[in-house]
Amino acid sequence: MIKTEKVLHLKSSRGRKVRVVRELYLREQVACGSALCQAGCENDGKLLSGDVTHYVVPDAGVVRDFLEILEFRELCGIVFTQTACQAAQHARGRRHYNRLRGLLKDPRHDCVLFANEFQQYSYCPREKGETQEQWHTRCVYHAAVWYYNHLAGLTPVVMITEDQNTIKTCSSLNSGVYVISTNEYLESFWPDLQAARELYASIAQTLQERESEGVEKEYPEHLPADVLEAGIKSGRYIQGMLNVNKHRAQNEAFVRFEGSTNKNTELNSDVLISGMKHRNRAIQGDSVAVELLPRSEWKGRTTALAAGQGEERAGEDAQSQLMPTGRVVGILQRNWRDYVVTFPPREELQSQSRNSQKILVIPWDYRIPKIRISTQQAETLQDHRVIVRVDSWESTSLYPSGHSVRVLGKAGELETEIQTILLENSIHVAPFSEAQLREMSLNSKEHPWQVDPAEVSSRRDLRDTHLVFSIDPLGCEDVDDTLSIRTLPGGKHLELGVHIADVTHFVKEGSLTDLEARSRATTYYLADRRYDMLPAVLSADLCSLLRRVDRYAMSVLWELDAESLAVCNVWYGRTLIHSSYQLHYELAQSLLNGEGPEVPELAQLESSEQDRKLAELLHALETLTRVARHLRAQRDWGGALELEGVEVRAQLDKDKNIVALVPKEPLEVHETVAECMIYANHWVARKIQERFPHQALLRHHPPPKQEFFNQLIDSAKSRGFTIDTRCLCLSYAHLCCNRLLRMMATQAMSNALYFSTGSCPEEEYYHYGLALDRYTHFTSPIRRYADIIVHRLLMAALQSEKEDCLHKTLASNKELEEMAQQINNKNRAAQHIQKQSIELFQYLYFRDKDPLTDERCVADAIIYTIRANGMLVFIPQYSLKGAVYLKNREGQVVSIEDEGRCTWQAGTLQRHPDRISTCTTAGTHIFHLFDHVTVRISVEPSRCHANSLSLELISNRPHAAARSESRPTGRGHSELVQEVVRREEASQQAVQEKKRPKLSREDREFRQSKKPNLYSLLQEISELALLDSSELNSFQNPKYSIFS
Amino acid sequence: MAGLELLSDQGYRLDGRKASELRKVQARMGVFGQADGSAYMEQGNTKALAVVYGPHEVRGSRSKSLHDRAVINCQYSMATFSTAERKRRPHGDRKSSEMSLHLKQTFEAAVLTQLYPRSQIDIYVKILQSDGGNYSACVNAATLALVDAGIPMRDYVCACTAGFAEGTALADLCHAEETGGGTALSLALLPRSQSIALVQMDARLHQDHLDTLMEAAMEACKGLSKVLDSVVRQHLQEVSVLSRD
C-alpha cells in the first residue's frame, strides 16, 4: 500500500475555512466487480455480466443529475465510480445517495461500484488550479481507462459526461474508451428506450431553466441543519411528520410528534400549521421542525364540511377550541415520491404558457401542492395522467418544480385509474420476471413435481398417521393452512396440529423471488383483481396444501390433556403431509350441525367405507370445535375484543330469519379455524421470542387511547348506551346502528403493527385485541412476507437448539425493525389501494346513471356524525360513506315539507353534540344521530383528482324501498363491482370489434374467460372478510367491518 | 446531519484502508542527545515526540519518593499547531492532565520500578500533529524512548485504538473516524504476556460487541509491537556500527 495525502478545505463549525489533511492509502488490488476480470480480482457479491456489448461509466455530473435514467433496468453494465458517487452524495444529499446504494445492492440491476480512488493506478491527485468538477471528470476518465486496460480490452468502455470540453479532449486519447454525452449515448446505444430519452429531455430542460430563476423570495429560508438539531434538542423546535388535511389542503396541516420524548404536557395534541406561508415549502409526509407561535396567534381546527374543491372560505368557518399552532422552520427529511398529475384545462394553459414554458400541473392527491414542470407536450397530454417527480422547491418559487417521468394513460379509464391508485400508494407490481420464474420448480403434466426423498428423511412424515384437512372459503386456490386432531394412544392426550405451507423451502433467502416478495410484502387485493406476492406456480400449486397430494409443511403440534385441555407438550418442525379433505366453511358447518351433506372426497367410495370415513371426519371436527371453544374462552377471560362476533349473536337471539338472509355472516366453524390459527401464531411467537429475545418479529397491538373513544361514547350516549372502553362490548340489537358503532370503535383503535423485539420494551409486546402477551403472523406465508420471516426465524430457533450454535447470522435487530416498518407501510398502502379501488368502482357504477330518474340512485342512509354545516351519513346498501350538506353555498338551509320532502330555504343551522337543527320559516327540524334519511347519490366528476360521489338529502324519512327490500347488505358492493367490470368489458369489446369486425365465436369466448369473473371476485371479498374476523385486522380498516 | 460513511459496502474505510489495516507507522529513536532517551513516532498523520529523563533523584519535595520503587512522572502536551485550527493549549487543562494520568498508569504497569527505589523517571510527550489516536501514539513513542534510555521494562507497551462501525471493528482510527460518531476504545497491551496495561472507552457500546472490539484492538497492538521491535533492532544496529568506528 502506498500512503498519499489529500488536502481538503472544509468549513469549520465557526464558519472559518480550515485546511484539513487526510490520508489516502492506495493499493493495487481493488475488486473490479466484472465477470470478465482476467487479473483474478477477489470479487465477492455482485458481478457485472460479461455478455454485454460495452461497459458504461457515468461521470459525476451524470450521476448527480441523471441517476433516474441510470435506474432503467434495461441499461446494463454500469460501472459507478467512487468519485462520482461521493460527488453525488455531496451535491444531492443522503437521500439521493441511499437511492444509489439501493441500486448497487439490488441484484436485478446490472451495475457495480468501483473504488477508483483507492486504486494505485487509477487515482489521480488534484492539480493546482483545477476546479473540483474538472478533477472529478478527470478521475472518472482515468478510472474508465484503467477499467478498459484491466479487462485487457475485452469490452469497450463508454464514459458519459455532460461536459463538452472533456468530450473534445478525451474522446481520441485512448482507443476503446469512448467519451460521449448522455444524450448521444442513449440515442446510439439504446434507440428503443423511448422512455429514457423522454426522461432525459425532461430533466435536462428542468436543469436548464433552474439556472434562470428569479430572486424574489416567496418563503423564508429554512434554518441550517445544525441549528435545527440543536433547537430540537433544547426543545425550542418540535420535530414531527407533516400531515396535510385532505379537505383543506390549502389551509390546514398538522404535525404529529415522533416519539413521546416531549415533556411539554400541553402539547399532547398535534400542532396546527395554518396556511401555505407557515408551512414553508413542506410537503405531505416530510419530516419537519416546527416552532410554536405565541398563544395569541393560535387557531382552532375547522369543523365545517368543506363545500366544493379549492374553495376558500376562511373567516366564517366555525372553529373548535384553540390548539397549538406553529410554523415550519426547517425540513429534516424530504419524503417525496412520484406523483400522478393532470394538466390543467386548455384555457388555463394558454394564459399560463405566455410567460414561460412552465406549466402548473395538478396532483391527484389533494394534499400535494401544484407542481411546476416544463414540457412541450402539454397540448397532447390534455386528458392524460402523468407521473411527475419533484426536484426542488426554492424559496423564490411559489410552487415546487419537477419534471415529468412517464405517461400513464387517459384519465377516466379503468386501467389508468387503477394504475394511479397503485402509484399514489407507492406500490409497484411489475409482472414476475423470467429470471424469477426460472428459479421456481416446475409442475407440469410432463414433469410432475415430486417429493424429494432426501426431504422425506429429514422431515417428520405425517402422511399416514394424521388425518389432515383444510377448511377454507369455497373455491380457494391458495390453501396455506391445514388442521389435524387425533387422540393419542392411551386416550389421555389429544394432539392438535396446525400445518402451514412451507414456503421457505421453495423461496430461499436472498433469491430473486424472495427479494420481490420482500418488496411487495403482501398480496394486494383490489376490487376487481389481485396482485400476488409469490408467482402463481407457488401460491396456487406447489405451496398450496391441496387435497390428496403430498406437500411440505411447517407444523405446530400440541399435546393437550384430553380432559382439561391444558398444553402438555409442543412440537415445532418441518413435516410432510397429505391433506385428505379440502372442506369449505359451509360444508364443515353443516357437517357439524348434522345435516348430512355430500362430501365430494367420499363420493366414489362404497357406502360402508363412506360412513366410516365420515364418522372419523366428524369426530375430528367436533373435537376441534370443543378445543377451539376452550381456547376462545381462555382468551375472552383475558379480555379479548370481539368486534366481529357480537352482531351475529345478538341477531341469533332475537330473530333467526336474519341469519338465513345473511349467509356470509360468520359461522362457528369460522371461529374454530381462526382460533387454531391464533393459537399457532401465539405459540410460534413465544418460541421465537424466547430463543431470539432481541431479533424476533412479533406483532403487537397497543391499547387504544381513551380520548379517541370520546366521539364514540358521545354517539352512543345519544342512543342511551354507555360504553366502557376498558372492557369494550357492544351489543345493541339494531343491525345498522350496531354496525356503525362498531365501525367507529374500530376507527378509534390504533393499528396492530409488526415490530422487532429488540426495539421495544417487553411491556409493549402485548396484543390488545387478542389479549395475548405474544403474537406474530405465521399462518399465511403465501400472502404475507412477515410470515416468511417468522418461518425462517422458527427454523433457525429449532436448529440452534439442536446444535447449540447458529450457522448463519440472522438479521440484526436494526435490519429486522426496518423490515417490520417496511411491511407495516406496505400493509397500510395495501389497505388504502383496496379502499380507493372500491371507491373508484362506486364512482364508475354511478357515472352513467341519471340521478334524477334512476331509482338505484336513491338510497337509505344513517347519520353517524354531526358537523357544523352538515352531517356524515352511511349508506348500507352500497356500503358508502359520505357527507350531506344542510347548508348550501348561498347560505340556504334544508327545510322539511310535507311527506318529508326537502327544499332549500333561507334559515339558520344550529349544531349540538348529538343533533343538528335547521330553522326556517317552514319550521324547525332536528336531525339526530342514527336517524334514517333518504339521499340521492350523484357523481361529482373531477378532472385531476379522484372522482367522488355527492349526496343530497331528499327526505328525512327512511327510504321506502329500503324496508321492503330485504336483500343482504353485503351484496350491494359485489354487484356493483360486477356491473362495472362488465361494462368495461363491453366497451372494450366494442372497441375491438370496431377494429376487427369478424371475430370467431371461440375467440370471443376465450377472451372473456381471461377476464376476472364475478365468482372469483366474490371469493376474494369474502376471503378478506374472513381474514379480518380471524384476527381483528379489522382495526386497521373500517371498511372490512362494513363489508363482512 | 449526513454522517460520513465509515465503512463502505465494499469494505473500504474513508482513507482506503480495510477494517483491520493499520495506518503507516514510522519511528526513530534517539532523536535528542541531551535527554537520557528520546523517540519520534508517526502513526499516519499523528506525530508524537517522547523524551525520558532518569532514573534520577526525586526532585522537589522528598516526601513524594517511595522507598521500594521509582516514581514515574508523565507530562503530556499538544503543540499549538497540532490541529487544523491553531489553538493555545495551556498546561494542566483537564484533557491533558487526564492523558498524563493515563500514561502514568500505563507505564507503572510496564516499567520495572522496583529496581530503582527512591528515584524518579520523567516521561515527557508532545503531540506535534494530531490525527486521531493521540494516546496510542504517545504510548508507543514513550516505549521507544524508555528503551532508548535503557530503562528495564517487562515488555514493549503497544497501544492502539479500535472503533465500531456497521457491525465491524475498525483498527487504528483516524481523526475523521474518531469524531464521526461511534465508539473508540484505546487499549495498551504488553504483547508477549497478553496482559492489558490500560483500556479506556468513553462511549456507549453493546456488551455483545465488546469482545470483538477488544480482539481487534489487541490484534492491532500485536502488529504494532512487531514494528516497534524492528525499529529498536535497526536502531541498535546503527548504534553498534557507530560505536565500532
Short mmCIF file of all heavy atoms in Angstrom, two decimals, chain B residues 10-47:
data_model
loop_
_atom_site.label_atom_id
_atom_site.label_comp_id
_atom_site.label_asym_id
_atom_site.label_seq_id
_atom_site.Cartn_x
_atom_site.Cartn_y
_atom_site.Cartn_z
N GLN B 10 -18.20 -1.91 0.08
CA GLN B 10 -17.12 -2.72 -0.47
C GLN B 10 -16.09 -3.05 0.60
O GLN B 10 -15.12 -3.75 0.33
CB GLN B 10 -16.42 -1.96 -1.60
CG GLN B 10 -17.12 -2.02 -2.93
CD GLN B 10 -18.36 -1.15 -2.93
OE1 GLN B 10 -18.41 -0.15 -2.22
NE2 GLN B 10 -19.35 -1.52 -3.71
N GLY B 11 -16.25 -2.51 1.79
CA GLY B 11 -15.32 -2.82 2.87
C GLY B 11 -14.14 -1.86 2.96
O GLY B 11 -13.13 -2.19 3.57
N TYR B 12 -14.24 -0.68 2.35
CA TYR B 12 -13.18 0.30 2.46
C TYR B 12 -13.54 1.36 3.47
O TYR B 12 -14.70 1.75 3.58
CB TYR B 12 -12.92 0.97 1.11
CG TYR B 12 -12.32 0.04 0.09
CD1 TYR B 12 -13.08 -0.44 -0.97
CD2 TYR B 12 -11.00 -0.36 0.21
CE1 TYR B 12 -12.53 -1.30 -1.89
CE2 TYR B 12 -10.45 -1.23 -0.72
CZ TYR B 12 -11.21 -1.69 -1.77
OH TYR B 12 -10.66 -2.54 -2.67
N ARG B 13 -12.52 1.86 4.16
CA ARG B 13 -12.75 2.96 5.07
C ARG B 13 -12.51 4.28 4.34
O ARG B 13 -12.13 4.29 3.17
CB ARG B 13 -11.83 2.82 6.27
CG ARG B 13 -12.28 1.69 7.16
CD ARG B 13 -11.18 1.13 7.98
NE ARG B 13 -10.71 2.06 8.98
CZ ARG B 13 -9.80 1.74 9.89
NH1 ARG B 13 -9.29 0.54 9.92
NH2 ARG B 13 -9.41 2.63 10.78
N LEU B 14 -12.69 5.36 5.06
CA LEU B 14 -12.61 6.68 4.41
C LEU B 14 -11.29 6.89 3.69
O LEU B 14 -11.24 7.51 2.64
CB LEU B 14 -12.77 7.76 5.48
CG LEU B 14 -14.14 7.86 6.10
CD1 LEU B 14 -14.09 8.77 7.29
CD2 LEU B 14 -15.13 8.37 5.08
N ASP B 15 -10.21 6.39 4.28
CA ASP B 15 -8.92 6.66 3.69
C ASP B 15 -8.41 5.50 2.85
O ASP B 15 -7.25 5.46 2.49
CB ASP B 15 -7.91 7.04 4.78
CG ASP B 15 -7.92 6.03 5.91
OD1 ASP B 15 -8.57 4.99 5.75
OD2 ASP B 15 -7.30 6.30 6.94
N GLY B 16 -9.27 4.56 2.55
CA GLY B 16 -8.86 3.48 1.64
C GLY B 16 -8.33 2.25 2.34
O GLY B 16 -7.92 1.31 1.67
N ARG B 17 -8.32 2.25 3.66
CA ARG B 17 -7.87 1.05 4.35
C ARG B 17 -9.02 0.07 4.48
O ARG B 17 -10.18 0.45 4.43
CB ARG B 17 -7.37 1.41 5.75
CG ARG B 17 -6.05 2.12 5.76
CD ARG B 17 -5.62 2.37 7.18
NE ARG B 17 -6.40 3.42 7.81
CZ ARG B 17 -6.55 3.52 9.13
NH1 ARG B 17 -6.01 2.63 9.93
NH2 ARG B 17 -7.24 4.52 9.64
N LYS B 18 -8.68 -1.20 4.71
CA LYS B 18 -9.72 -2.17 5.10
C LYS B 18 -9.87 -2.11 6.61
O LYS B 18 -9.08 -1.46 7.31
CB LYS B 18 -9.29 -3.57 4.66
CG LYS B 18 -9.10 -3.70 3.16
CD LYS B 18 -10.28 -4.40 2.53
CE LYS B 18 -10.25 -4.28 1.04
NZ LYS B 18 -10.09 -5.49 0.30
N ALA B 19 -10.84 -2.87 7.12
CA ALA B 19 -11.21 -2.71 8.53
C ALA B 19 -10.05 -2.98 9.48
O ALA B 19 -9.89 -2.29 10.47
CB ALA B 19 -12.38 -3.62 8.86
N SER B 20 -9.22 -3.98 9.18
CA SER B 20 -8.22 -4.35 10.18
C SER B 20 -6.83 -3.80 9.86
O SER B 20 -5.86 -4.16 10.52
CB SER B 20 -8.16 -5.88 10.29
OG SER B 20 -7.79 -6.40 9.04
N GLU B 21 -6.73 -2.95 8.85
CA GLU B 21 -5.41 -2.45 8.48
C GLU B 21 -5.02 -1.23 9.32
O GLU B 21 -5.84 -0.36 9.57
CB GLU B 21 -5.40 -2.08 6.99
CG GLU B 21 -5.38 -3.31 6.10
CD GLU B 21 -5.55 -3.00 4.64
OE1 GLU B 21 -5.87 -1.84 4.29
OE2 GLU B 21 -5.36 -3.91 3.83
N LEU B 22 -3.72 -1.20 9.67
CA LEU B 22 -3.22 -0.07 10.45
C LEU B 22 -2.78 1.05 9.51
O LEU B 22 -2.57 0.81 8.33
CB LEU B 22 -2.01 -0.50 11.28
CG LEU B 22 -2.23 -1.61 12.28
CD1 LEU B 22 -0.93 -1.90 13.00
CD2 LEU B 22 -3.28 -1.19 13.27
N ARG B 23 -2.60 2.21 10.10
CA ARG B 23 -2.00 3.29 9.31
C ARG B 23 -0.51 3.04 9.21
O ARG B 23 0.06 2.21 9.92
CB ARG B 23 -2.30 4.63 9.99
CG ARG B 23 -3.76 4.97 9.94
CD ARG B 23 -4.02 6.29 10.60
NE ARG B 23 -3.89 6.19 12.05
CZ ARG B 23 -4.03 7.22 12.87
NH1 ARG B 23 -4.25 8.41 12.38
NH2 ARG B 23 -3.92 7.07 14.16
N LYS B 24 0.12 3.83 8.36
CA LYS B 24 1.56 3.64 8.18
C LYS B 24 2.29 4.11 9.45
O LYS B 24 2.06 5.21 9.95
CB LYS B 24 1.99 4.48 6.98
CG LYS B 24 3.39 4.21 6.53
CD LYS B 24 3.67 5.08 5.32
CE LYS B 24 5.14 5.03 4.97
NZ LYS B 24 5.39 4.23 3.80
N VAL B 25 3.18 3.26 9.96
CA VAL B 25 3.91 3.59 11.18
C VAL B 25 5.37 3.85 10.83
O VAL B 25 6.01 3.06 10.14
CB VAL B 25 3.83 2.44 12.21
CG1 VAL B 25 4.52 2.82 13.49
CG2 VAL B 25 2.40 2.08 12.45
N GLN B 26 5.88 4.97 11.31
CA GLN B 26 7.30 5.27 11.15
C GLN B 26 7.83 5.73 12.49
O GLN B 26 7.13 6.46 13.21
CB GLN B 26 7.50 6.38 10.12
CG GLN B 26 7.42 5.86 8.70
CD GLN B 26 7.54 6.97 7.70
OE1 GLN B 26 6.87 7.99 7.82
NE2 GLN B 26 8.39 6.77 6.71
N ALA B 27 9.05 5.35 12.84
CA ALA B 27 9.56 5.76 14.14
C ALA B 27 11.08 5.89 14.08
O ALA B 27 11.73 5.27 13.25
CB ALA B 27 9.17 4.74 15.20
N ARG B 28 11.58 6.72 14.96
CA ARG B 28 13.03 6.91 15.06
C ARG B 28 13.35 7.02 16.54
O ARG B 28 12.62 7.62 17.31
CB ARG B 28 13.43 8.20 14.33
CG ARG B 28 14.73 8.10 13.59
CD ARG B 28 14.63 8.85 12.25
NE ARG B 28 14.28 10.25 12.46
CZ ARG B 28 15.20 11.20 12.74
NH1 ARG B 28 16.47 10.91 12.87
NH2 ARG B 28 14.83 12.45 12.88
N MET B 29 14.50 6.45 16.94
CA MET B 29 14.89 6.55 18.34
C MET B 29 16.12 7.43 18.44
O MET B 29 16.88 7.60 17.49
CB MET B 29 15.22 5.16 18.89
CG MET B 29 14.00 4.29 19.06
SD MET B 29 14.45 2.60 19.29
CE MET B 29 15.19 2.67 20.90
N GLY B 30 16.30 7.97 19.63
CA GLY B 30 17.50 8.76 19.89
C GLY B 30 17.56 10.02 19.06
O GLY B 30 18.56 10.31 18.42
N VAL B 31 16.48 10.77 19.07
CA VAL B 31 16.47 11.98 18.25
C VAL B 31 17.17 13.14 18.95
O VAL B 31 17.63 14.07 18.30
CB VAL B 31 15.05 12.38 17.84
CG1 VAL B 31 14.55 11.48 16.74
CG2 VAL B 31 14.12 12.36 19.02
N PHE B 32 17.23 13.16 20.28
CA PHE B 32 17.91 14.24 21.02
C PHE B 32 19.09 13.65 21.77
O PHE B 32 18.99 12.56 22.35
CB PHE B 32 16.98 14.88 22.03
CG PHE B 32 15.79 15.51 21.41
CD1 PHE B 32 14.52 15.22 21.87
CD2 PHE B 32 15.95 16.40 20.36
CE1 PHE B 32 13.42 15.79 21.29
CE2 PHE B 32 14.84 16.97 19.78
CZ PHE B 32 13.58 16.68 20.23
N GLY B 33 20.19 14.39 21.81
CA GLY B 33 21.37 13.91 22.52
C GLY B 33 21.30 14.19 24.01
O GLY B 33 21.80 13.41 24.82
N GLN B 34 20.63 15.30 24.39
CA GLN B 34 20.72 15.73 25.78
C GLN B 34 19.92 14.86 26.73
O GLN B 34 20.32 14.67 27.88
CB GLN B 34 20.24 17.18 25.89
CG GLN B 34 21.32 18.14 25.48
CD GLN B 34 20.76 19.51 25.18
OE1 GLN B 34 19.64 19.61 24.68
NE2 GLN B 34 21.51 20.53 25.49
N ALA B 35 18.82 14.36 26.24
CA ALA B 35 17.97 13.58 27.14
C ALA B 35 18.54 12.17 27.28
O ALA B 35 19.37 11.75 26.48
CB ALA B 35 16.57 13.50 26.60
N ASP B 36 18.04 11.45 28.32
CA ASP B 36 18.52 10.09 28.50
C ASP B 36 17.95 9.17 27.42
O ASP B 36 18.60 8.23 27.00
CB ASP B 36 18.10 9.58 29.89
CG ASP B 36 18.86 10.33 30.97
OD1 ASP B 36 20.05 10.57 30.79
OD2 ASP B 36 18.22 10.71 31.98
N GLY B 37 16.74 9.46 27.04
CA GLY B 37 16.14 8.67 25.97
C GLY B 37 15.14 9.52 25.22
O GLY B 37 14.47 10.37 25.80
N SER B 38 15.01 9.28 23.91
CA SER B 38 14.02 10.06 23.15
C SER B 38 13.60 9.25 21.93
O SER B 38 14.32 8.38 21.49
CB SER B 38 14.60 11.40 22.72
OG SER B 38 15.74 11.18 21.92
N ALA B 39 12.41 9.55 21.43
CA ALA B 39 11.91 8.86 20.24
C ALA B 39 10.89 9.72 19.54
O ALA B 39 10.21 10.55 20.17
CB ALA B 39 11.29 7.52 20.61
N TYR B 40 10.79 9.52 18.22
CA TYR B 40 9.80 10.22 17.41
C TYR B 40 8.96 9.15 16.73
O TYR B 40 9.47 8.15 16.27
CB TYR B 40 10.54 11.08 16.38
CG TYR B 40 9.64 11.65 15.32
CD1 TYR B 40 8.80 12.72 15.60
CD2 TYR B 40 9.65 11.14 14.02
CE1 TYR B 40 7.98 13.24 14.63
CE2 TYR B 40 8.83 11.65 13.05
CZ TYR B 40 8.00 12.71 13.35
OH TYR B 40 7.19 13.23 12.38
N MET B 41 7.64 9.40 16.73
CA MET B 41 6.74 8.36 16.25
C MET B 41 5.70 8.96 15.32
O MET B 41 5.12 10.01 15.62
CB MET B 41 6.04 7.78 17.50
CG MET B 41 5.04 6.73 17.22
SD MET B 41 5.83 5.13 17.24
CE MET B 41 4.58 4.14 16.49
N GLU B 42 5.47 8.29 14.20
CA GLU B 42 4.38 8.72 13.32
C GLU B 42 3.42 7.56 13.15
O GLU B 42 3.84 6.45 12.81
CB GLU B 42 4.92 9.07 11.93
CG GLU B 42 5.40 10.48 11.77
CD GLU B 42 5.79 10.76 10.32
OE1 GLU B 42 5.23 10.12 9.42
OE2 GLU B 42 6.67 11.60 10.12
N GLN B 43 2.16 7.79 13.40
CA GLN B 43 1.13 6.80 13.06
C GLN B 43 0.19 7.51 12.11
O GLN B 43 -0.64 8.31 12.54
CB GLN B 43 0.38 6.36 14.32
CG GLN B 43 0.96 5.14 14.97
CD GLN B 43 0.18 4.72 16.17
OE1 GLN B 43 0.29 5.33 17.22
NE2 GLN B 43 -0.64 3.69 16.02
N GLY B 44 0.36 7.26 10.85
CA GLY B 44 -0.39 8.03 9.86
C GLY B 44 0.01 9.48 9.99
O GLY B 44 1.18 9.81 9.97
N ASN B 45 -0.95 10.34 10.19
CA ASN B 45 -0.65 11.75 10.33
C ASN B 45 -0.56 12.19 11.78
O ASN B 45 -0.49 13.37 12.05
CB ASN B 45 -1.72 12.58 9.61
CG ASN B 45 -1.43 12.67 8.14
OD1 ASN B 45 -0.32 12.40 7.70
ND2 ASN B 45 -2.43 13.04 7.35
N THR B 46 -0.64 11.28 12.70
CA THR B 46 -0.43 11.64 14.10
C THR B 46 1.06 11.52 14.41
O THR B 46 1.64 10.45 14.19
CB THR B 46 -1.23 10.71 15.01
OG1 THR B 46 -2.59 10.77 14.62
CG2 THR B 46 -1.10 11.11 16.45
N LYS B 47 1.65 12.60 14.87
CA LYS B 47 3.09 12.60 15.10
C LYS B 47 3.36 12.97 16.55
O LYS B 47 2.80 13.96 17.04
CB LYS B 47 3.76 13.60 14.16
CG LYS B 47 3.60 13.15 12.72
CD LYS B 47 3.97 14.17 11.71
CE LYS B 47 3.57 13.65 10.32
NZ LYS B 47 3.77 14.64 9.29
#
